[in-house]
Structures are given as C-alpha cells and as structure tokens.
Amino acid sequence: MFRKLLFVMLFLCALVLVLFIPTGVNIARNSLAKFDHKTPVKVGFGLRANQEFPFYPAAAIMYRRRTPRLQSERAYRKWLEENPEKAEMVRQYQSFLNGKNVGEIIPMRQLLQGCADNPLKPELAFDVPPKALWPNIVPTLKWFDANARPFVGNVRLYHGYRNPEANKACGSHSPVHPANSAIDFVPLEMHDPAKIERLMCSAFRAKGKTAKIGMGFYGVGLIHIDTRGYRSWGPDTRSATSPCKA
C-alpha cells in the first residue's frame, strides 16, 4: 500500500513538472520580451541584476536592462583578420595612445567595442575611430585612471567608440560615444554599490567640473564617464536620479 501511494505521489510530481514548468518558462520569456528598458522598477539597496553585476541604488529606481555583451578575444581577432585596413588603423591608434601615456589603461579590444547588443548587426560590434577623433579619448582615460581607478580597481569596459550607425543600433541618441570621448565600464573588484557611488560622486564633485566630466550610473552596474560637459545622471538618464546630485 505504501509503495503504491509513493508511486502515485512521484507520478503526480512528475506530471506537475512536465505540465507547469514549461508554461512558467514561456510566461517568463514572454514577459521579458515585453520589458521596456524605460519602465521603472523599485528595488532594494544592494540587489544584484545577476551574479556578477550589482544594481546601483540611485534613488532606488532601476531600469530593466540586459547586461551588455562583451565580445570575445576570438571575435576581435577575427574582425581584425577580415578587415586588414582597420587592423592597420588599430595598430596606429594603439601607437598614438601609447605616445599619450594612456595606451595601457584599457585593452584596445574593449575600447573599440561599439554595439555588441544588436544581434541583427554583428558587424557593428567593433570599429576604430577616425584619426581626427583619437585625441578625444585621451582626457577621459586620464581622468578615469587618476580619479576612478583608485576607488574601483580593475574594470571591464563594455562600450567605447561607436560609429554613428552603431550608436543608433544601440538605441542611443547621445553624441559622446561617436565622438570617441566616452567609456562605459563595470567595476570587477568592488561589489558595494553604495560605496562605489559615494566614492565616484566624491571624485566627480571634487575634480569633475574642471575636466568637464559627465558621469552616469545605469541599472545593470554600468558607470559612464565622458569629457563632454559637467553633468551627472541616474539609471533613467535624468539628473534628478543621479546619486551625485547635491
């Protein structure tokens, strides 16, 4: 009798798993597909977007965004092999940055990652900026190295230069990435969101104005820095939600 009851219970459990789990997964997928990254969602302090990147607690308002993709070294090498003219420009660009003493701050592969988030246009994942724009990234990298890296340590850069087409494909209307003056990064060593915001905002207030620093905090842990004007914003891109707001 006991064995029969146990068998029935196991059968019912298996039936539940077969019938309901796929349905739940489909519902979740459909819900995620309908997410608008501009739809606000309240979260508690210190919650994580996933195991690697923390949500930042700016005004406790976050936006449902996917963690950006990071192209592999293999994909980067393939791009260089398929574009020999650009590969030569990359070599010259690296030499230029080395001459400005900023060539070792961020790996070139990450500096050239434009829009890897558009699966329909993989060719936009990398590009090298025109020579006229090379000087624009120098003050951004110098400010980052002197004022941000001491606090956050090593970082992973997700967005550097974007050509106008890649910028549009990424859903951005800002000119700072096409101008080669902006970087978006995630700290790898510090995992205290409130502390990161406090330290970064302290540097922003103390040394950001003279350098015309723009600083933004996004909802999947990304921090943006550019040198195109003194301003700051939070995860909804408004200054009102910036943790650096006085």
Side-chain angles (χ1 to χ4, degrees):
M1 181 67 183
F2 175 76
R3 289 183 178 181
K4 291 183 179 180
L5 182 60
L6 180 61
F7 176 78
V8 171
M9 291 177 63
L10 291 174
F11 175 78
L12 291 175
C13 289
L15 186 63
V16 168
L17 290 175
V18 170
L19 292 178
F20 291 100
I21 286 185
T23 303
V25 170
N26 289 332
I27 291 174
R29 285 175 177 171
N30 293 335
S31 299
L32 287 171
K34 295 177 181 178
F35 275 173
D36 180 354
H37 73 276
K38 293 185 178 180
T39 302
V41 54
K42 293 184 178 180
V43 299
F45 286 76
L47 289 181
R48 291 178 179 273
N50 55 39
Q51 292 182 348
E52 189 172 5
F53 305 117
F55 273 112
Y56 281 79
I61 299 176
M62 299 301 146
Y63 282 76
R64 293 181 176 102
R65 299 183 177 184
R66 293 183 300 105
T67 299
R69 295 174 58 196
L70 182 67
Q71 291 295 310
S72 66
E73 181 69 23
R74 181 179 179 181
Y76 175 61
R77 294 299 173 190
K78 182 180 179 182
W79 174 74
L80 291 176
E81 291 173 2
E82 294 176 350
N83 299 275
E85 292 184 2
K86 289 187 180 293
E88 175 58 24
M89 285 190 66
V90 169
R91 188 191 67 77
Q92 295 178 22
Y93 187 31
Q94 182 67 66
S95 179
F96 170 83
L97 295 179
N98 291 342
K100 298 296 182 180
N101 298 317
V102 296
E104 302 299 322
I105 295 175
I106 298 292
M108 180 59 71
R109 170 170 63 93
Q110 296 179 26
L111 278 178
L112 301 184
Q113 178 159 295
C115 183
D117 293 335
N118 191 326
L120 300 180
K121 296 186 177 182
E123 69 276 9
L124 300 179
F126 299 106
D127 201 3
V128 58
K131 288 186 178 181
L133 301 180
W134 291 0
N136 293 353
I137 197 64
V138 174
T140 303
L141 292 176
K142 286 186 174 180
W143 195 92
F144 163 79
D145 195 48
N147 301 286
R149 192 187 289 278
F151 299 135
V152 300
N154 290 326
V155 303
R156 182 175 293 157
L157 195 75
Y158 279 86
H159 299 132
Y161 170 72
R162 293 187 197 131
N163 62 43
E165 185 181 1
N167 202 49
K168 183 178 180 181
C170 273
S172 175
H173 301 286
S174 171
V176 293
H177 283 283
N180 195 38
S181 62
I183 57 175
D184 297 338
F185 62 90
V186 170
L188 297 178
E189 298 175 0
M190 183 179 291
H191 303 291
D192 184 339
K195 185 177 181 180
I196 291 175
E197 287 185 352
R198 184 172 67 254
L199 293 173
M200 291 293 295
C201 289
S202 176
F204 172 77
R205 296 188 190 101
K207 300 180 180 180
K209 194 168 187 178
T210 56
K212 299 181 180 180
I213 294 298
M215 185 175 293
F217 297 83
Y218 296 119
V220 290
L222 283 174
I223 301 174
H224 171 104
I225 291 178
D226 67 61
T227 47
R228 304 288 286 188
Y230 183 65
R231 68 216 186 280
S232 67
W233 60 93
D236 60 354
T237 70
R238 295 187 303 121
S239 60
T241 59
S242 169
C244 300
K245 184 179 179 181

